[in-house]
Amino acid sequence: MDLTQGTLEEKNNRAKKMMLWFGIVSLIMSFAGWTSAFIVSSSRPDWLSDFQLPNAFIISTVIIVISSITFILAKKALKKENRQATTLWLLTTLVLGIAFISCQFMGFQQIIDLGYNFTGPTSNVTMSYIYLIAIVHILHVVVGLVCLLVVIYNHFKQKYNPSKMLGFELAATFWHFIDILWVYLFLFLYFAK
């Protein structure tokens, strides 16, 4: 495919998609670095090998997977020009994203209740890694929520239709990425003890 071909709008759309993928690849590299450091650090004498992930993390995993499904349903509804269903599914995705973050903070509280803080005398390197990985992921979910709010705003302004939905697709791609990323992180933390 010759990337110099096409209208100016097609070239801009390709450039925006490519920039998103560059960002996603850089995030993958960052989280790969943190999970690698987690594995390397597991040989430390003070490493907890028998820790349990908080139940709230399990619930948040289910929530974020469902949120990806609702975003897919919103996209399908938009392609069918069903504005009401699109609005419903977008708002549901937003609520689920907020619920995910709330569950994550409940998980942090469960870790604190076990006696482990992020830093200080009651901290542990294992739990500090879990805090770090989860908090950085939460920050990316917040970015995803901001993107989702922009999509909802543009949807209400009727800027999307089946032939013009680049912003919608970019936000959906990022949302699905942070969903898949959390599933990977959860499974990694669950099995990499």
Side-chain angles (χ1 to χ4, degrees), residues 3-43:
L3 297 178
T4 61
Q5 299 297 313
T7 65
L8 183 58
E9 182 180 1
E10 290 170 337
K11 291 178 186 177
N12 283 334
N13 289 352
R14 280 195 304 266
K16 290 174 183 174
K17 287 178 182 178
M18 187 61 66
M19 290 306 296
L20 174 63
W21 282 107
F22 282 144
I24 286 173
V25 168
S26 70
L27 290 174
I28 290 169
M29 290 168 46
S30 298
F31 281 96
W34 287 315
T35 54
S36 296
F38 186 94
I39 291 169
V40 169
S41 297
S42 67
S43 63

Side-chain angles (χ1 to χ4, degrees), residues 44-77:
R44 292 172 48 119
D46 59 345
W47 190 260
L48 291 178
S49 59
D50 60 345
F51 67 88
Q52 286 279 49
L53 286 178
N55 290 332
F57 281 13
I58 297 168
I59 295 167
S60 66
T61 302
V62 172
I63 289 171
I64 202 161
V65 169
I66 294 170
S67 75
S68 255
I69 294 167
T70 59
F71 214 142
I72 290 167
L73 293 171
K75 186 175 177 180
K76 286 183 178 184

Side-chain angles (χ1 to χ4, degrees), residues 73-97:
L73 293 171
K75 186 175 177 180
K76 286 183 178 184
L78 179 61
K79 285 184 176 182
K80 292 179 182 174
E81 298 189 53
N82 185 341
R83 296 192 54 72
Q84 272 188 320
T86 304
T87 301
L88 172 69
W89 292 122
L90 285 174
L91 292 175
T92 302
T93 305
L94 179 68
V95 169
L96 290 170

Side-chain angles (χ1 to χ4, degrees), residues 79-150:
K79 285 184 176 182
K80 292 179 182 174
E81 298 189 53
N82 185 341
R83 296 192 54 72
Q84 272 188 320
T86 304
T87 301
L88 172 69
W89 292 122
L90 285 174
L91 292 175
T92 302
T93 305
L94 179 68
V95 169
L96 290 170
I98 293 167
F100 171 83
I101 292 173
S102 297
C103 277
Q104 293 285 289
F105 282 109
M106 285 189 269
F108 295 151
Q109 188 58 53
Q110 289 173 357
I111 293 171
I112 291 168
D113 291 344
L114 291 173
Y116 300 108
N117 288 302
F118 181 59
T119 61
T122 59
S123 68
N124 174 280
V125 68
T126 310
M127 291 301 162
S128 293
Y129 269 113
I130 291 172
Y131 276 113
L132 172 73
I133 289 169
I135 288 171
V136 173
H137 182 265
I138 287 171
L139 293 174
H140 289 90
V141 173
V142 170
V143 171
L145 288 173
V146 170
C147 294
L148 187 56
L149 286 169
V150 170

Side-chain angles (χ1 to χ4, degrees), residues 144-159:
L145 288 173
V146 170
C147 294
L148 187 56
L149 286 169
V150 170
V151 165
I152 291 169
Y153 174 79
N154 286 337
H155 173 65
F156 283 127
K157 291 288 196 175
Q158 300 186 7
K159 292 188 176 183

